[in-house]
Amino acid sequence: MKLRNICVAAVLSFSVIGCTLSSQNISLYDRLGGESGVDAIVYQLLVNISQDPRVFERFNGVDIEKFRAGFAQYICSVSGGGCEYQGDNMQQVHAGHDYTDTEFNAIVGNLIQAMEHEGVPTRTQNALLRRLAPSYKDVVYQ
């Protein structure tokens, strides 16, 4: 009877280890929920921005649908979703706007709130933020 319990425990242990190892191979894009998850995050980001007095005026005159589609594609490309970002580079998009650190941080905060709203785990949020962080130098020129 004891040998049977040891065998069952060993099988369960290997199953858990196998599940853990296979979940590490899941792309960040998939951990964000794939296309529907990223679309929901970007939608919620726009809702958050529209309610944020620190930054909502920065979006006056912006083609929101173009922004939504472009940012979703950008997230897809940096998170391993197999997309190739087709928009203008970040430096071109943000040139001449004189964005401040405060505004940049507000947008990042709104993105974090959007991911939390969509139930994205903190570890996954941090992984996306790490991949987006290098674009800071192309957004804020100070």
Side-chain angles (χ1 to χ4, degrees):
M1 199 60 139
K2 287 187 175 191
L3 181 59
R4 181 176 172 204
N5 290 342
I6 291 171
C7 289
V8 169
V11 168
L12 289 175
S13 296
F14 287 123
S15 295
V16 169
I17 290 169
C19 290
T20 301
L21 291 175
S22 66
S23 71
Q24 291 173 351
N25 294 328
I26 297 173
S27 72
L28 175 55
Y29 183 70
D30 288 333
R31 289 184 283 150
L32 290 166
E35 183 178 358
S36 63
V38 169
D39 285 345
I41 291 165
V42 173
Y43 173 82
Q44 188 60 46
L45 169 64
L46 290 168
V47 169
N48 295 348
I49 288 170
S50 74
Q51 299 170 356
D52 187 341
R54 299 171 297 175
V55 292
F56 75 87
E57 288 184 13
R58 283 295 197 159
F59 287 81
N60 286 339
V62 170
D63 181 340
I64 295 299
E65 183 54 33
K66 182 178 177 183
F67 174 86
R68 186 206 58 75
F71 194 57
Q73 187 180 65
Y74 188 68
I75 290 175
C76 177
S77 70
V78 301
S79 65
C83 304
E84 186 176 326
Y85 177 67
Q86 300 291 320
D88 294 331
N89 73 46
M90 292 298 114
Q91 212 169 23
Q92 291 171 326
V93 170
H94 299 97
H97 291 284
D98 298 321
Y99 294 108
T100 66
D101 284 329
T102 300
E103 291 168 325
F104 183 86
N105 290 337
I107 298 293
V108 171
N110 285 313
L111 176 58
I112 291 168
Q113 288 175 340
M115 290 189 286
E116 288 176 354
H117 182 270
E118 294 304 315
V120 175
T122 302
R123 177 174 272 173
T124 302
Q125 292 179 34
N126 289 337
L128 177 61
L129 294 173
R130 267 192 308 278
R131 294 196 187 175
L132 294 174
S135 64
Y136 167 84
K137 67 183 180 348
D138 297 327
V139 176
V140 178
Y141 301 96
Q142 292 182 337

